[in-house]
Every structure is written in C-alpha cells, then in structure tokens.
Amino acid sequence: MKTIKSVYVNGAFIEPHGTEIVSVISPLNKKEIAQIVYADEQDTLAAIEAAKAALPGYSKSTINERIEYLTKISIEIEKRIDDLINATTLEYGAPGERAKWANLIAATTFSNQAAMLQQYSFSKQVNESIVIMEPVGVAALFTPWNAVAGSIAIKVAAALAAGCTIILKPSEFGSWQAEIIMECIAAAGLPNGVVNMVNGNGAVITKPIMESSEVTKISFTGSTLVGKILAKQAVDTMKRVTLELGGKSANILLEDVDLAKAIPMALQAGFMNNGQACIAGTRLLVPESRLNEVRDLLIRESAKFIVGDPSSADVKIGPLASQKQYDRIQQYIQTGISEGGELLTGGLGHPEGLDQGYYVKPTIFINVNNEMTIAREEIFGPVLSVIAYSNEEEAIQIANNSEYGLMAYVSSADEKRAANVASQLKAGRVLINTLKHDPMAPFGGYKNSGIGRENGVIGLEEFLEAKTLIK
Ligand code: NAD
C-alpha cells in the first residue's frame, strides 16, 4: 500500500510527528488506493521555523535566481505529467483530458511567473518618491481538493517570485497530487526551508499558523465558510490576507444569441471539472421568449455529457470526489425537487450501472427562480439551474442578486451589447462568448467570493509590501 508523504520541511521529506493514519479512497470504486499519516501541530511548528530561518537569505535572492527556480519547477512538472494525470484520475476522478489540462496549467503558471518577473520592476518612481516593493515575509498557502496542482502553483509561483518563504497546506483530500507537485518543487533545488509542506487536518494545521506572528501572509483558496474563519483569525497578528472562495456564477444568454453555440458552452460551463469548479456557470439565465428552444437543446446536448470511468476517452464527467460530495449533491437535488424546480434531466441516484463509485446524474432544473436554494447556494456538483428573465435589465439584476461574484458569462451575437451587460455585472471575471482562460489577467472575486486577486502582476503584488522612500 502506498503511503503518501505529508511533511516536507527544511529541504527534505520527513516522517511526520503526527500519527493519525487516514485512507485515501478512489472515487472510481470506493477502494483504498493509499494511506496518509496526517501532519500535526508539531510538524507545522517545524515548518514555520524552517520558513522563518530561510527568509533572510531567500528574500535577498536575485531576480535571475528566482526566474531560474520557477523555470526549473515548471520543467519538473512537465516531466511528471503522466504521474500527475494518473493521480488526478484515480484520486479525484477527473477525465483524462481535463486532468492533463489542469496539470499542464500548473507547469505554465510557473513559467509565466518567470516571464513576468523579467519585466516587473520592484522599485519605481511615484511622484517625488521611490516606491520599493518588498517580500511580505513568511506566507502560508492553503489550497482545496478540486484543483490541486493549479491552486498550489498559482500561490507558490507568486510567493517565490516575490521573495517570500512558504508553508504550504494543501487539501488533505488531494494529498497524492499534492505530494507529486511538492516532489517537483523539491527537485528544483531551492535553498532549504524556502518551501515547506504540511498536510493533514485543516483545523489542526491552521491553528499554529494563524497564531504565529512569524507568518505575515495567508493566501487561502477554499470554501467561503473556512475563508471567513481564517480572515477573522488573521487580524490578531495583522496577517495580510488573500481569499479565493466559492461562486454561484450566472451565465446570461442574451435574446439574439446563437443557441447552437451557446448551449453546448453553457453545459460545459456548468459541468466542468465534474461540476466541482468554483467558476462553474450554474445559473443559466435565459430570455423567456427563447425558453422552449433552450429546453429542447439542453435535453439534446446534455445527452452528450457521458458519465463514467474517467479513463475512457468519450467520458466527459467522472465521479464526484468523495462520499461527502455524493451525499451533498443528492441533498441539493432533493432540495431542488422539494422547492418546486422542474427536473429537465438527471435527478437523484447513480446513473444506471454506475453505483460502484461516487457517480451522479448531471442534473438540469428548469423554471427555477433566483430565490430557491439551488439558485443561491454553491452546490459544487453537476447541477444546473435555468432561470428565465423578461428583459436585459432583469437579467443583470438576477445575475447580481447573489452573495457571490467570482465569474460571469455572457453570450450574444452582438459583442458590444454583451460587453455593455458585462460592465454592469459584479464579478471578478466575465467571459464573453467564450470559456477561454487568461492566466496573466487578474482572477478573483467580488463579495463572498473573496478578497484580492491572483495571477499576473496583481497576483505577485499580493505577496509584496510597498515601502515609500522620500528624500
Ligand atoms: P475547504 O474550505 O474545506 O478547504 C480548503 C483548505 O482549508 C484545505 O486545505 C483544508 O484542509 C483547510 N480547512 C478545511 N477546514 C478547515 C478549518 N475548519 N480550519 C482551517 N482550515 C480548514 O474547501 P474545499 O472543500 O477544499 O474546496 C472547495 C471550495 O473551494 C469551494 O467552495 C470552491 O468554490 C472553492 N474554490 C475556490 C477557488 C477560487 O479560486 N476562488 C478555486 C477552487 C476552489
């Protein structure tokens, strides 16, 4: 049985001080595929010490040295891409193409960061002053289980580029993927203590981190619930805070839209990553005048989203990541039915012949109103709610009537019209007639979707303090 490494401190994988042994269960068949011994408070204190000791040296590293490390990590991830795809399929349930895309993004995140460092100026003239951008210090990075490699990469790359040292706390529910990424980082030959990892129970590991005044920055990606807990704790030691949290994104189809293009895209937006995506477009806003056409197309096109073993080439949706996720999605589907949503496709239970793993039926509710639970809460599974609107103004009002504001989507035959709608949406990113990702532009949310932004210059500056020199 494989034992996953949970502690990397001061340049080496070490035996954890923690003793709790936890099974890693594959969502494909509910079988144990590995075990992990959870790190504990003691392991975390050691990681904090190592990061603190490495800070004076690494914060003074040259830009060229940092570029070299970032480039090396990117190359190491590319070298391990097959291992990463395998782990992402067996541990998470991602279909092969998705697993490949998600892990290659991790590699390019490091190389993009290196390219950006070449152009970034850590010292600039502002009016009569010189402003120097300094590393914020020891950074604790918390990441979720639904995008393991990508969310580790986006944070580690920016923190390293800034000159910070790191305590990485990946999700304990994606520990095999995290182990491989940590091995790639370790292979890049950074000085000891610059990157440390402790994996285990979230509350146990975050406690010493949040209490430590040596840790001056937290960057958290995960649920809004936990993000808020950490943000409150952060104030006591005045840690700088970046939060990337949940979403309930609206996808507005304007009246002139080409539905033959927009509906497959809307399904992709709703069901991406087995529906477990913070950016999923789970509220599909449709003009009343075209609701019947949408209904027919959704039935036809959703049949193409084949659920099954993610290693099969034609499968688009694999199992959910865990029993907890399976139960959660069943509960939301039941709530949708109980609150009067009309089930267009899917529903409760496993798809036929797929009860050996955490497989669910991709589900579409139609005639949903924006006050229903399924339109308000982040479900985090392949469940789409179709909401009809009477005019553009109402569509914008419904889209913005959410406690979240991470992503939004607008489709129209007239790009100018779509851009005008996009300008009125309270979301950190709006995709117009596309599902494209831009890794250099800011990513993050309004409202309960978070604080701050990742990616590019703005993401780097989340790990920097500005010091003004006036002569
Ligand atoms: P989570 O909040 O449960 O866990 C995130 C991290 O916090 C993990 O490392 C976990 O160990 C730790 N943690 C969990 N409970 C804790 C506690 N009580 N105290 C301290 N730490 C704790 O989130 P998750 O279930 O891993 O991820 C899913 C969520 O992440 C969804 O809401 C999704 O929308 C969000 N997400 C957001 C983005 C984004 O960029 N905005 C990206 C991916 C996922």
Coordinates of all heavy atoms in Angstrom, one line a residue, residues 379-465:
I379 N -23.5 24.6 -5.0 CA -23.8 23.2 -4.9 C -22.5 22.3 -5.0 O -22.3 21.4 -4.3 CB -24.8 22.7 -6.0 CG1 -26.1 23.5 -5.7 CG2 -25.0 21.2 -6.0 CD1 -27.2 23.2 -6.7
F380 N -21.6 22.7 -6.0 CA -20.3 22.1 -6.2 C -20.5 20.7 -6.8 O -19.8 19.7 -6.3 CB -19.5 22.1 -4.9 CG -18.0 22.5 -5.2 CD1 -17.8 23.6 -5.9 CD2 -17.0 21.7 -4.8 CE1 -16.4 24.0 -6.2 CE2 -15.7 22.0 -5.0 CZ -15.4 23.2 -5.7
G381 N -21.4 20.5 -7.7 CA -21.6 19.3 -8.4 C -22.3 19.6 -9.7 O -22.6 20.8 -10.0
P382 N -22.5 18.7 -10.6 CA -23.0 19.0 -12.0 C -24.6 19.2 -11.9 O -25.3 18.4 -12.4 CB -22.7 17.7 -12.8 CG -22.6 16.6 -11.8 CD -22.1 17.3 -10.5
V383 N -24.9 20.3 -11.4 CA -26.4 20.7 -11.2 C -26.5 22.1 -11.8 O -26.0 23.1 -11.2 CB -26.8 20.6 -9.8 CG1 -28.3 20.9 -9.7 CG2 -26.6 19.2 -9.2
L384 N -27.4 22.2 -12.8 CA -27.5 23.5 -13.5 C -29.0 24.0 -13.3 O -29.9 23.2 -13.4 CB -27.3 23.3 -15.0 CG -27.3 24.4 -16.0 CD1 -26.2 25.4 -15.6 CD2 -27.0 23.9 -17.4
S385 N -29.1 25.3 -13.0 CA -30.4 25.9 -12.7 C -30.7 26.9 -13.9 O -30.0 27.8 -14.1 CB -30.5 26.6 -11.4 OG -30.4 25.7 -10.3
V386 N -31.8 26.6 -14.6 CA -32.2 27.5 -15.7 C -33.3 28.5 -15.1 O -34.3 28.1 -14.6 CB -32.8 26.8 -16.9 CG1 -33.2 27.7 -18.0 CG2 -31.8 25.7 -17.3
I387 N -32.9 29.8 -15.3 CA -33.8 30.9 -14.7 C -34.2 31.8 -15.9 O -33.4 32.3 -16.7 CB -33.0 31.7 -13.7 CG1 -32.5 30.8 -12.6 CG2 -33.9 32.9 -13.2 CD1 -31.6 31.5 -11.6
A388 N -35.5 32.0 -16.1 CA -36.0 32.8 -17.2 C -36.1 34.2 -16.8 O -36.3 34.6 -15.6 CB -37.4 32.3 -17.7
Y389 N -35.8 35.1 -17.7 CA -35.9 36.6 -17.5 C -36.7 37.3 -18.6 O -36.8 36.7 -19.7 CB -34.5 37.2 -17.3 CG -33.7 37.3 -18.5 CD1 -33.8 38.3 -19.5 CD2 -32.7 36.3 -18.8 CE1 -33.0 38.4 -20.6 CE2 -31.9 36.3 -19.9 CZ -32.1 37.4 -20.8 OH -31.3 37.4 -22.0
S390 N -37.3 38.4 -18.3 CA -38.1 39.1 -19.3 C -37.4 40.1 -20.1 O -37.7 40.4 -21.2 CB -39.4 39.7 -18.6 OG -39.0 40.5 -17.6
N391 N -36.4 40.8 -19.5 CA -35.6 41.8 -20.3 C -34.2 41.9 -19.7 O -33.9 41.4 -18.6 CB -36.3 43.2 -20.2 CG -36.5 43.7 -18.8 OD1 -35.6 43.7 -18.0 ND2 -37.7 44.0 -18.5
E392 N -33.4 42.6 -20.5 CA -31.9 42.6 -20.2 C -31.7 43.2 -18.8 O -30.8 42.6 -18.0 CB -31.2 43.5 -21.2 CG -29.9 43.0 -21.6 CD -29.4 43.6 -22.9 OE1 -29.8 43.1 -24.0 OE2 -28.7 44.7 -22.8
E393 N -32.4 44.2 -18.4 CA -32.3 44.8 -17.1 C -32.5 43.8 -16.0 O -31.8 43.7 -15.0 CB -33.3 45.9 -17.0 CG -32.8 47.1 -16.1 CD -33.8 48.2 -16.2 OE1 -35.0 48.0 -15.9 OE2 -33.4 49.3 -16.5
E394 N -33.5 43.0 -16.2 CA -33.9 42.0 -15.2 C -32.8 40.9 -15.1 O -32.4 40.4 -14.1 CB -35.2 41.3 -15.5 CG -35.7 40.5 -14.3 CD -36.9 39.6 -14.6 OE1 -37.2 39.4 -15.8 OE2 -37.4 39.0 -13.6
A395 N -32.2 40.5 -16.3 CA -31.1 39.5 -16.3 C -30.0 40.0 -15.5 O -29.4 39.2 -14.7 CB -30.7 39.3 -17.8
I396 N -29.6 41.3 -15.7 CA -28.5 41.8 -14.9 C -28.8 41.8 -13.4 O -28.0 41.5 -12.6 CB -28.1 43.3 -15.4 CG1 -27.6 43.2 -16.8 CG2 -27.1 44.0 -14.5 CD1 -27.6 44.5 -17.6
Q397 N -30.0 42.2 -13.1 CA -30.4 42.3 -11.7 C -30.4 40.9 -11.1 O -29.9 40.7 -10.0 CB -31.9 42.9 -11.6 CG -32.4 43.1 -10.2 CD -33.2 41.9 -9.7 OE1 -33.8 41.2 -10.5 NE2 -33.0 41.6 -8.5
I398 N -30.8 39.8 -11.8 CA -30.8 38.5 -11.3 C -29.4 38.0 -11.1 O -29.0 37.4 -10.1 CB -31.6 37.5 -12.2 CG1 -33.1 37.8 -12.2 CG2 -31.4 36.0 -11.7 CD1 -33.9 37.0 -13.3
A399 N -28.6 38.3 -12.1 CA -27.1 37.8 -12.1 C -26.5 38.4 -10.8 O -25.7 37.7 -10.1 CB -26.4 38.3 -13.3
N400 N -26.7 39.7 -10.6 CA -26.1 40.4 -9.4 C -26.7 40.1 -8.1 O -26.1 40.3 -7.0 CB -26.1 41.9 -9.6 CG -25.1 42.3 -10.7 OD1 -24.1 41.6 -11.0 ND2 -25.3 43.5 -11.3
N401 N -27.9 39.5 -8.1 CA -28.6 39.1 -6.9 C -28.0 37.8 -6.4 O -28.7 36.7 -6.5 CB -30.1 39.1 -7.1 CG -30.8 38.8 -5.8 OD1 -30.2 38.5 -4.8 ND2 -32.2 38.8 -5.9
S402 N -26.8 37.8 -5.8 CA -26.2 36.6 -5.3 C -25.2 37.1 -4.3 O -24.6 38.2 -4.4 CB -25.4 35.9 -6.5 OG -24.6 34.9 -6.0
E403 N -24.9 36.3 -3.3 CA -23.9 36.7 -2.3 C -22.5 36.5 -2.9 O -21.5 36.9 -2.3 CB -24.1 35.9 -1.0 CG -23.8 34.4 -1.1 CD -23.9 33.8 0.3 OE1 -25.0 33.7 0.9 OE2 -22.9 33.3 0.8
Y404 N -22.4 35.8 -4.0 CA -21.1 35.5 -4.7 C -20.8 36.5 -5.9 O -21.8 37.1 -6.4 CB -21.0 34.1 -5.2 CG -21.1 33.1 -4.0 CD1 -22.2 32.3 -3.8 CD2 -20.0 32.9 -3.2 CE1 -22.3 31.4 -2.8 CE2 -20.0 31.9 -2.2 CZ -21.2 31.2 -2.0 OH -21.2 30.3 -1.0
G405 N -19.6 36.5 -6.3 CA -19.3 37.3 -7.5 C -17.9 36.9 -8.1 O -17.1 37.8 -8.3
L406 N -17.8 35.6 -8.4 CA -16.5 35.2 -8.9 C -16.4 35.3 -10.4 O -15.5 36.0 -10.9 CB -16.2 33.7 -8.4 CG -14.9 33.1 -8.7 CD1 -13.8 33.9 -8.1 CD2 -14.8 31.7 -8.3
M407 N -17.3 34.7 -11.1 CA -17.2 34.6 -12.5 C -18.6 35.0 -13.1 O -19.6 34.8 -12.4 CB -16.9 33.2 -12.9 CG -16.5 33.0 -14.3 SD -14.8 33.5 -14.6 CE -14.1 32.2 -15.5
A408 N -18.7 35.4 -14.3 CA -20.0 35.5 -15.0 C -19.7 35.2 -16.5 O -18.6 35.3 -17.0 CB -20.6 36.9 -14.8
Y409 N -20.8 34.9 -17.2 CA -20.6 34.5 -18.6 C -21.8 35.3 -19.3 O -22.9 35.4 -18.8 CB -20.8 33.0 -18.8 CG -19.9 32.2 -18.0 CD1 -20.2 31.9 -16.7 CD2 -18.8 31.6 -18.6 CE1 -19.3 31.1 -16.0 CE2 -17.9 30.7 -17.9 CZ -18.2 30.5 -16.6 OH -17.4 29.7 -15.8
V410 N -21.4 35.9 -20.5 CA -22.5 36.5 -21.3 C -22.3 36.0 -22.8 O -21.2 36.0 -23.3 CB -22.4 38.0 -21.3 CG1 -23.5 38.7 -22.0 CG2 -22.3 38.6 -19.8
S411 N -23.4 35.6 -23.4 CA -23.3 35.3 -24.8 C -24.3 36.1 -25.6 O -25.5 36.3 -25.2 CB -23.7 33.8 -25.0 OG -22.7 33.0 -24.5
S412 N -23.9 36.6 -26.8 CA -24.7 37.4 -27.6 C -24.2 37.4 -29.0 O -22.9 37.2 -29.2 CB -24.8 38.8 -27.1 OG -25.4 39.7 -28.0
A413 N -25.0 37.6 -30.0 CA -24.5 37.8 -31.4 C -23.8 39.1 -31.6 O -23.0 39.3 -32.5 CB -25.7 37.7 -32.4
D414 N -24.1 40.0 -30.6 CA -23.5 41.4 -30.7 C -22.6 41.6 -29.5 O -23.0 41.8 -28.4 CB -24.7 42.4 -30.6 CG -24.3 43.8 -30.6 OD1 -23.0 44.1 -30.5 OD2 -25.1 44.7 -30.7
E415 N -21.3 41.6 -29.9 CA -20.3 41.6 -28.8 C -20.3 42.9 -28.0 O -20.1 42.9 -26.8 CB -18.9 41.5 -29.4 CG -18.0 40.7 -28.5 CD -16.7 40.2 -29.2 OE1 -15.8 41.1 -29.3 OE2 -16.6 39.1 -29.7
K416 N -20.7 44.0 -28.6 CA -20.8 45.3 -27.9 C -21.9 45.3 -26.9 O -21.8 45.7 -25.8 CB -21.1 46.4 -28.9 CG -20.0 47.4 -29.0 CD -20.2 48.3 -30.2 CE -20.1 49.8 -29.8 NZ -20.4 50.6 -31.0
R417 N -23.0 44.7 -27.3 CA -24.1 44.5 -26.4 C -23.7 43.7 -25.2 O -24.0 44.0 -24.0 CB -25.3 43.9 -27.2 CG -26.6 43.7 -26.4 CD -27.6 43.2 -27.3 NE -28.8 42.8 -26.5 CZ -29.9 42.2 -27.0 NH1 -29.9 41.8 -28.3 NH2 -30.9 41.9 -26.3
A418 N -23.0 42.6 -25.5 CA -22.6 41.7 -24.4 C -21.6 42.4 -23.5 O -21.7 42.3 -22.2 CB -21.9 40.4 -25.0
A419 N -20.7 43.2 -24.1 CA -19.7 44.0 -23.2 C -20.5 45.0 -22.3 O -20.0 45.2 -21.2 CB -18.7 44.6 -24.1
N420 N -21.5 45.6 -22.9 CA -22.3 46.5 -22.1 C -22.9 45.8 -20.9 O -22.9 46.3 -19.7 CB -23.3 47.2 -22.9 CG -24.2 48.1 -22.1 OD1 -23.7 48.9 -21.3 ND2 -25.5 48.0 -22.3
V421 N -23.4 44.6 -21.1 CA -24.0 43.9 -20.0 C -22.9 43.5 -19.0 O -23.0 43.6 -17.8 CB -24.7 42.6 -20.5 CG1 -25.1 41.7 -19.3 CG2 -26.0 43.0 -21.3
A422 N -21.8 43.0 -19.5 CA -20.6 42.6 -18.7 C -20.2 43.7 -17.8 O -19.8 43.5 -16.6 CB -19.5 42.2 -19.6
S423 N -20.2 45.0 -18.3 CA -19.8 46.1 -17.5 C -20.6 46.3 -16.3 O -20.2 47.0 -15.3 CB -19.7 47.4 -18.3 OG -21.0 47.8 -18.6
Q424 N -21.8 45.8 -16.3 CA -22.8 46.0 -15.2 C -22.8 44.8 -14.2 O -23.6 44.8 -13.2 CB -24.2 46.3 -15.7 CG -24.2 47.5 -16.6 CD -25.6 47.7 -17.3 OE1 -26.6 47.9 -16.6 NE2 -25.6 47.5 -18.6
L425 N -22.0 43.8 -14.4 CA -22.0 42.6 -13.6 C -21.0 42.7 -12.4 O -19.8 43.2 -12.6 CB -21.8 41.4 -14.4 CG -22.8 41.1 -15.5 CD1 -22.5 39.9 -16.3 CD2 -24.2 40.9 -14.8
K426 N -21.4 42.3 -11.3 CA -20.5 42.3 -10.1 C -19.8 41.0 -10.0 O -20.2 40.1 -9.3 CB -21.3 42.6 -8.8 CG -22.1 43.9 -8.8 CD -21.3 44.9 -8.1 CE -22.0 46.3 -8.1 NZ -21.8 47.1 -9.3
A427 N -18.8 40.8 -10.8 CA -18.0 39.6 -10.9 C -16.5 39.9 -11.2 O -16.3 40.8 -12.0 CB -18.6 38.6 -11.9
G428 N -15.6 39.1 -10.7 CA -14.2 39.4 -10.9 C -13.8 39.1 -12.3 O -12.8 39.6 -12.8
R429 N -14.5 38.2 -13.0 CA -14.2 37.9 -14.4 C -15.5 37.7 -15.2 O -16.4 37.1 -14.6 CB -13.4 36.6 -14.6 CG -11.9 36.8 -14.8 CD -11.2 35.5 -15.1 NE -9.8 35.8 -15.0 CZ -8.8 35.1 -15.5 NH1 -9.1 34.0 -16.3 NH2 -7.6 35.5 -15.4
V430 N -15.6 38.2 -16.4 CA -16.7 38.0 -17.2 C -16.2 37.4 -18.6 O -15.4 38.1 -19.2 CB -17.6 39.3 -17.5 CG1 -18.9 38.9 -18.2 CG2 -17.9 40.0 -16.1
L431 N -16.7 36.3 -18.9 CA -16.3 35.7 -20.2 C -17.4 36.0 -21.3 O -18.6 35.6 -21.0 CB -16.2 34.2 -20.1 CG -15.1 33.7 -19.0 CD1 -14.9 32.2 -19.2 CD2 -13.8 34.4 -19.1
I432 N -17.0 36.6 -22.4 CA -18.0 36.9 -23.4 C -17.8 36.0 -24.6 O -16.8 36.0 -25.2 CB -17.8 38.4 -23.8 CG1 -18.0 39.3 -22.6 CG2 -18.7 38.8 -25.0 CD1 -17.7 40.8 -22.8
N433 N -18.9 35.2 -24.8 CA -18.9 34.3 -26.0 C -17.7 33.3 -25.9 O -17.2 32.9 -27.0 CB -18.9 35.0 -27.3 CG -20.2 35.7 -27.6 OD1 -21.2 35.4 -27.0 ND2 -20.1 36.8 -28.3
T434 N -17.2 33.0 -24.8 CA -16.0 32.1 -24.7 C -16.0 31.4 -23.4 O -16.6 31.8 -22.4 CB -14.7 32.9 -25.0 OG1 -13.6 32.0 -25.0 CG2 -14.5 33.9 -23.8
L435 N -15.1 30.4 -23.3 CA -14.8 29.7 -22.0 C -13.3 29.8 -21.8 O -12.7 29.1 -21.0 CB -15.2 28.3 -21.9 CG -16.7 28.0 -22.0 CD1 -17.0 26.5 -22.0 CD2 -17.5 28.7 -20.9
K436 N -12.6 30.7 -22.5 CA -11.2 30.8 -22.5 C -10.6 31.2 -21.1 O -11.3 32.0 -20.4 CB -10.8 31.9 -23.5 CG -9.7 31.5 -24.4 CD -9.4 32.4 -25.6 CE -9.6 33.9 -25.4 NZ -9.6 34.6 -26.7
H437 N -9.4 30.8 -20.8 CA -8.8 31.1 -19.6 C -7.6 32.1 -19.9 O -6.9 31.8 -20.9 CB -8.2 29.9 -18.9 CG -7.4 30.1 -17.7 ND1 -7.9 30.8 -16.6 CD2 -6.1 29.8 -17.4 CE1 -7.0 30.9 -15.6 NE2 -5.9 30.3 -16.1
D438 N -7.5 33.2 -19.2 CA -6.3 34.0 -19.4 C -5.4 34.0 -18.1 O -5.8 34.6 -17.1 CB -6.7 35.5 -19.7 CG -5.5 36.3 -20.0 OD1 -4.3 35.9 -19.7 OD2 -5.6 37.4 -20.7
P439 N -4.3 33.3 -18.2 CA -3.5 33.1 -16.9 C -2.7 34.3 -16.5 O -2.2 34.2 -15.4 CB -2.6 31.9 -17.3 CG -2.4 32.1 -18.8 CD -3.7 32.6 -19.3
M440 N -2.7 35.3 -17.3 CA -1.9 36.5 -16.9 C -2.8 37.6 -16.3 O -2.3 38.6 -15.7 CB -1.1 37.0 -18.0 CG -0.1 36.0 -18.6 SD 1.1 35.5 -17.3 CE 2.3 36.7 -17.4
A441 N -4.1 37.5 -16.5 CA -5.0 38.6 -16.1 C -5.6 38.2 -14.7 O -5.6 37.1 -14.3 CB -6.2 38.7 -17.1
P442 N -5.9 39.3 -14.0 CA -6.4 39.0 -12.6 C -7.5 38.0 -12.5 O -8.4 38.0 -13.4 CB -6.9 40.4 -12.1 CG -6.2 41.4 -13.0 CD -6.0 40.7 -14.3
F443 N -7.5 37.2 -11.4 CA -8.5 36.2 -11.1 C -8.9 36.3 -9.7 O -8.0 36.3 -8.8 CB -8.0 34.8 -11.5 CG -9.0 33.8 -11.1 CD1 -10.1 33.5 -11.9 CD2 -8.9 33.0 -9.9 CE1 -11.1 32.6 -11.6 CE2 -9.9 32.1 -9.6 CZ -11.0 31.9 -10.4
G444 N -10.2 36.5 -9.4 CA -10.6 36.5 -8.0 C -12.1 37.1 -8.0 O -12.7 37.3 -9.0
G445 N -12.6 37.2 -6.8 CA -14.0 37.5 -6.7 C -14.4 38.8 -6.0 O -13.7 39.3 -5.2
Y446 N -15.6 39.2 -6.4 CA -16.3 40.3 -5.6 C -17.0 39.6 -4.4 O -17.2 38.3 -4.4 CB -17.4 40.9 -6.4 CG -17.1 41.9 -7.5 CD1 -16.0 41.7 -8.3 CD2 -17.8 43.1 -7.6 CE1 -15.7 42.7 -9.3 CE2 -17.5 44.0 -8.6 CZ -16.4 43.8 -9.4 OH -16.1 44.7 -10.4
K447 N -17.5 40.4 -3.5 CA -18.4 39.9 -2.4 C -17.9 38.7 -1.7 O -16.7 38.6 -1.4 CB -19.8 39.7 -3.0 CG -20.4 41.0 -3.6 CD -21.9 40.8 -4.0 CE -22.1 40.4 -5.4 NZ -23.5 40.3 -5.8
N448 N -18.7 37.7 -1.5 CA -18.3 36.5 -0.7 C -17.4 35.5 -1.5 O -17.0 34.5 -1.0 CB -19.5 35.7 -0.2 CG -20.0 36.3 1.1 OD1 -19.3 36.7 1.9 ND2 -21.3 36.2 1.3
S449 N -17.0 35.9 -2.7 CA -16.1 35.1 -3.5 C -14.7 35.4 -3.2 O -13.8 34.7 -3.7 CB -16.4 35.2 -5.0 OG -17.6 34.6 -5.3
G450 N -14.4 36.4 -2.3 CA -13.1 36.5 -1.9 C -12.6 38.0 -1.7 O -13.3 38.9 -1.8
I451 N -11.3 38.0 -1.4 CA -10.6 39.3 -1.2 C -9.3 39.2 -2.0 O -8.5 38.2 -1.8 CB -10.3 39.6 0.3 CG1 -11.5 39.7 1.1 CG2 -9.4 40.8 0.4 CD1 -11.3 39.9 2.6
G452 N -9.0 40.2 -2.8 CA -7.7 40.2 -3.6 C -7.8 39.4 -4.9 O -8.9 38.9 -5.3
R453 N -6.7 39.4 -5.6 CA -6.7 38.7 -6.9 C -5.4 37.9 -7.0 O -4.4 38.2 -6.4 CB -6.7 39.8 -8.0 CG -7.9 40.6 -8.1 CD -9.1 39.8 -8.6 NE -10.3 40.6 -8.8 CZ -11.2 40.8 -7.8 NH1 -11.1 40.2 -6.6 NH2 -12.3 41.5 -8.0
E454 N -5.5 36.9 -7.9 CA -4.3 36.1 -8.2 C -3.9 36.3 -9.7 O -4.7 36.9 -10.4 CB -4.5 34.6 -7.9 CG -4.8 34.4 -6.4 CD -4.7 32.9 -6.0 OE1 -5.5 32.1 -6.5 OE2 -3.8 32.6 -5.2
N455 N -2.8 35.8 -10.1 CA -2.3 35.8 -11.5 C -1.6 37.2 -11.8 O -2.0 38.2 -11.3 CB -3.4 35.7 -12.5 CG -3.8 34.3 -12.8 OD1 -3.0 33.4 -12.6 ND2 -5.0 34.1 -13.4
G456 N -0.6 37.1 -12.7 CA 0.0 38.3 -13.2 C 0.6 39.2 -12.2 O 0.9 38.8 -11.1
V457 N 0.7 40.5 -12.6 CA 1.3 41.5 -11.7 C 0.5 41.6 -10.4 O 1.0 41.7 -9.3 CB 1.4 42.8 -12.4 CG1 1.8 43.9 -11.5 CG2 2.4 42.7 -13.6
I458 N -0.8 41.7 -10.5 CA -1.7 41.9 -9.3 C -1.5 40.8 -8.4 O -1.5 41.0 -7.1 CB -3.1 42.2 -9.8 CG1 -3.9 43.0 -8.7 CG2 -3.8 40.9 -10.1 CD1 -5.2 43.5 -9.3
G459 N -1.4 39.6 -8.9 CA -1.2 38.4 -8.0 C 0.2 38.4 -7.3 O 0.3 38.0 -6.2
L460 N 1.2 38.9 -8.0 CA 2.5 39.0 -7.4 C 2.5 40.0 -6.3 O 3.0 39.8 -5.2 CB 3.5 39.4 -8.5 CG 4.9 39.8 -8.0 CD1 5.6 38.6 -7.5 CD2 5.7 40.4 -9.2
E461 N 1.8 41.1 -6.5 CA 1.8 42.2 -5.5 C 1.0 41.8 -4.3 O 1.2 42.5 -3.2 CB 1.3 43.5 -6.2 CG 2.3 44.0 -7.2 CD 2.0 45.3 -7.8 OE1 0.9 45.8 -7.7 OE2 3.0 46.0 -8.3
E462 N 0.2 40.7 -4.3 CA -0.4 40.2 -3.1 C 0.6 39.7 -2.1 O 0.4 39.6 -0.9 CB -1.4 39.1 -3.4 CG -2.6 39.5 -4.3 CD -3.8 40.1 -3.5 OE1 -4.0 39.6 -2.4 OE2 -4.5 41.0 -4.0
F463 N 1.8 39.4 -2.6 CA 2.9 38.9 -1.8 C 4.0 40.0 -1.5 O 5.1 39.7 -1.1 CB 3.5 37.7 -2.4 CG 2.6 36.5 -2.3 CD1 1.8 36.2 -3.4 CD2 2.6 35.7 -1.2 CE1 0.9 35.1 -3.3 CE2 1.7 34.6 -1.1 CZ 0.9 34.3 -2.1
L464 N 3.7 41.3 -1.8 CA 4.7 42.3 -1.6 C 4.1 43.4 -0.7 O 2.9 43.6 -0.7 CB 5.0 42.9 -3.0 CG 5.7 42.0 -4.0 CD1 5.8 42.6 -5.4 CD2 7.1 41.7 -3.5
E465 N 5.0 44.1 0.0 CA 4.7 45.3 0.7 C 5.3 46.5 0.0 O 6.4 46.4 -0.5 CB 5.3 45.2 2.2 CG 4.7 44.2 3.1 CD 3.4 44.7 3.8 OE1 2.9 45.8 3.5 OE2 3.0 44.1 4.8

